[in-house]
Amino acid sequence: MNDAAPAPTPAPAPRKRARVRAPELTGKGGWLNTGGKELTLADLRGRVVILDFWTFCCINCLHVLDELRELEEKHRDTVVIIGVHSPKFVHEADHAAVVDAVERYQVHHPVLDDPELATWKQYAVRAWPTLVVIDPEGYVVAQHAGEGHAHAIARLVEELEAEHEAKGTLRRGDGPYVAPEPVATDLRFPGKALVLPSGNLLVSDSTRHQLVELAADGESVVRRIGSGERGFGPDAFSEPQGLALLPDGRVVVADTVNHALRVFDPGTGTVETVAGTGRQWWQGSPASGPALEVDLSSPWDVAWWQGRVWIAMAGVHQLWTWDPETGTVAVAAGTTNEGLVDGPAAEAWFAQPSGLAAAGDRLWIADSETSALRYVEREGDGYAVRSAVGTGLFDFGHRDGDAGQALLQHPLGVTALPDGSVAVCDTYNHALRRYDPATGQVSTLATDLREPSDAVLVGEDIVVVESARHRLTRLRLPEEAVRVDAVAHRTQRAATEVAPGTLRLDVVFQAPAGQKLDTRYGPSTRLLVSSTPPELLAEGEGAGTDLFRDLVLDPAVTEGVLHVSAMAASCDDDPENEYPACHVHQQDWGVPVVVTAAGAARLPLVLAGMDA
């Protein structure tokens, strides 16, 4: 027997990685979730800091918030996540709206409100969401754009913990998060509503993970459905949104963060899952088949139309359907590319469809990120997608008149009216708008609504879900519209100056430690490039498998937007493992560019890693 203590196992040599001194965190909106304290990077020295550049309109940003929850809990004494709120829409620069969003999406870490994108610019961020990792000594060691990076960041965090524990530069302890005081209301950021056959109203109480049945007055609570805790059991939801009445009187529920459809029976009070697995759909996953075996992605609204339930699949910019008769789901429209492109359903592009309303031979769609009102209709043996209002990802505002020049701002709800027109919950304009297909005119029905997200007809009234006022508001449909001064906006992100002629596009991707690109079934990367206007690109548009490409810009076009979509798949690099864990990393960029002689000849976009 040897009583001598064994020699300590030496810590593994730290991996060589690029380090850049992290810029300070600044934002005119100040700090949330810190108890009023202003934070600096010096306050966070000794911790692994993860900056999450997000904006609350962005579904991909909401996915990342959910991806980070487990990491945040597991490494609570060493990791500090800082949300840097960087607005796209004008409404998102309103500090009160950011306060609401932090509560609405249950963000349990400090948030810097950066309405002028000051910190965004300091860190050269180009896309929502972007994650930046800062080591305990204050150096940037990694950047990740898009979704699917939680596993890579978790691995990096463990490396940094070991490395800086050994160096004596890791500081453990409680983080700077201070929870705000809870507020008591019957509803908390409700999402959607419908009228039950009984005349009562059913509301998705999204932040409290419940459905709430209200009496016909829209105020008295009859019952709550769901435990109120986030979950996926028979008595739990996770941020439910859309509701649709089935012909048999049951209600289909878009259980958004569970990536599932549930059915609630008002007669028995039971809830069952009818579509989705609880896992988020990723590129390459099946997009049709038995409903309980196919992954979904943030279903935001549902509508019964033409014998099926249509699903606004916000997470992948598509419309899907669920057929209760066959128990199957399938893609009905959209390519997963984000933007506004009309045409045959299989070729159309959407951008976070969030509201649906069936009206005879049309299915109306609130396409939120393009600030558009669109619809699906029969065309030959299939369907086609058309736009009534809206032009694309970067133009929005509040302008009435002819639909060709009218503007909305991130609408989330749409309601068919008895006269054939359509009411639009123009969410970020705090207004109820109306589009009349007969005249092609857009008008404003009501203003001073706080983030309206849905509306239902009750007799001659329209009941609006005022999500940020936590209530339903009953309005009499007016005979005359409200006059509103027109306001037009474009996204405030600074354009990137690029040189005319050939522009080298490099999507930077470094596989996480211990992983390699997955080439078992062919190319593991994908790159899709297009532009607005299309004439901006003389060469280089289309799909390919390399993450780099030479683009040729038309010298006659001096400004526009480059749309870049990239995907990379990586797997555990262990030859002994017959079934390695694999991960998909993906991101869409919309890069505003200005063509100028002094501009850059290279455009780097970081998917994962650091641009050397």
Side-chain angles (χ1 to χ4, degrees), residues 449-524:
L449 300 166
R450 188 70 182 171
E451 292 191 19
S453 56
D454 197 20
V456 294
L457 292 172
V458 179
E460 296 183 356
D461 296 338
I462 188 165
V463 175
V464 180
V465 179
E466 277 199 271
S467 190
R469 282 201 177 111
H470 320 292
R471 71 186 189 193
L472 304 188
T473 298
R474 186 181 297 262
L475 304 173
R476 178 59 54 97
L477 278 172
E479 294 181 6
E480 294 186 8
V482 178
R483 182 172 177 80
V484 175
D485 291 335
V487 180
H489 301 291
R490 281 183 66 82
T491 182
Q492 63 171 316
R493 281 186 296 163
T496 299
E497 294 187 353
V498 296
T502 301
L503 175 67
R504 174 71 169 201
L505 171 65
D506 282 324
V507 174
V508 178
F509 178 76
Q510 297 160 3
Q515 295 196 349
K516 64 179 181 180
L517 288 173
D518 177 18
T519 57
R520 292 171 299 162
Y521 308 109
S524 61

Side-chain angles (χ1 to χ4, degrees), residues 215-525:
D217 62 10
E219 297 180 4
S220 307
V221 175
V222 175
R223 60 174 163 170
R224 297 181 181 275
I225 301 95
S227 65
E229 297 294 326
R230 188 190 297 272
F232 194 32
D235 189 35
F237 299 94
S238 187
E239 298 181 31
Q241 286 284 343
L243 306 167
L245 199 62
L246 296 173
D248 62 8
R250 296 183 302 157
V251 177
V252 61
V253 182
D255 196 2
T256 305
V257 178
N258 277 328
H259 309 294
L261 296 188
R262 320 290 291 283
V263 166
F264 164 62
D265 187 333
T268 64
T270 58
V271 175
E272 65 173 316
T273 302
V274 296
T277 63
R279 297 183 300 270
Q280 184 184 340
W281 187 93
W282 288 99
Q283 291 286 353
S285 302
S288 64
L292 290 170
E293 299 175 15
V294 177
D295 300 338
L296 309 182
S297 182
S298 297
W300 206 275
D301 203 5
V302 281
W304 179 258
W305 188 58
Q306 299 201 344
R308 290 175 289 170
V309 171
W310 287 66
I311 309 164
M313 202 71 78
V316 285
H317 317 299
Q318 291 180 310
L319 302 183
W320 288 37
T321 60
W322 168 58
D323 186 339
E325 289 293 320
T326 62
T328 57
V329 292
V331 175
T335 63
T336 76
N337 296 319
E338 184 177 12
L340 192 153
V341 176
D342 289 340
E347 301 172 16
W349 292 23
F350 296 95
Q352 222 168 291
S354 302
L356 299 176
D361 59 359
R362 286 184 177 177
L363 179 69
W364 292 97
I365 306 150
D367 200 29
S368 62
E369 278 294 288
T370 53
S371 296
L373 172 65
R374 306 176 73 185
Y375 59 91
V376 177
E377 63 182 1
R378 279 280 187 188
E379 183 175 80
D381 294 332
Y383 293 96
V385 177
R386 309 276 184 243
S387 295
V389 182
T391 58
L393 286 164
F394 300 101
D395 293 292
F396 53 91
H398 192 144
R399 183 193 286 150
D400 289 332
D402 183 74
Q405 56 84 54
L407 294 172
L408 309 170
Q409 188 179 176
H410 198 79
L412 290 178
V414 60
T415 306
L417 299 179
D419 64 358
S421 65
V422 184
V424 180
C425 286
D426 193 6
T427 309
Y428 288 3
N429 280 328
H430 309 298
L432 188 67
R433 312 284 293 283
R434 176 178 179 264
Y435 167 68
D436 186 352
T439 63
Q441 294 292 302
V442 175
S443 57
T444 297
L445 297 176
T447 59
D448 193 31
L449 300 166
R450 188 70 182 171
E451 292 191 19
S453 56
D454 197 20
V456 294
L457 292 172
V458 179
E460 296 183 356
D461 296 338
I462 188 165
V463 175
V464 180
V465 179
E466 277 199 271
S467 190
R469 282 201 177 111
H470 320 292
R471 71 186 189 193
L472 304 188
T473 298
R474 186 181 297 262
L475 304 173
R476 178 59 54 97
L477 278 172
E479 294 181 6
E480 294 186 8
V482 178
R483 182 172 177 80
V484 175
D485 291 335
V487 180
H489 301 291
R490 281 183 66 82
T491 182
Q492 63 171 316
R493 281 186 296 163
T496 299
E497 294 187 353
V498 296
T502 301
L503 175 67
R504 174 71 169 201
L505 171 65
D506 282 324
V507 174
V508 178
F509 178 76
Q510 297 160 3
Q515 295 196 349
K516 64 179 181 180
L517 288 173
D518 177 18
T519 57
R520 292 171 299 162
Y521 308 109
S524 61
T525 55

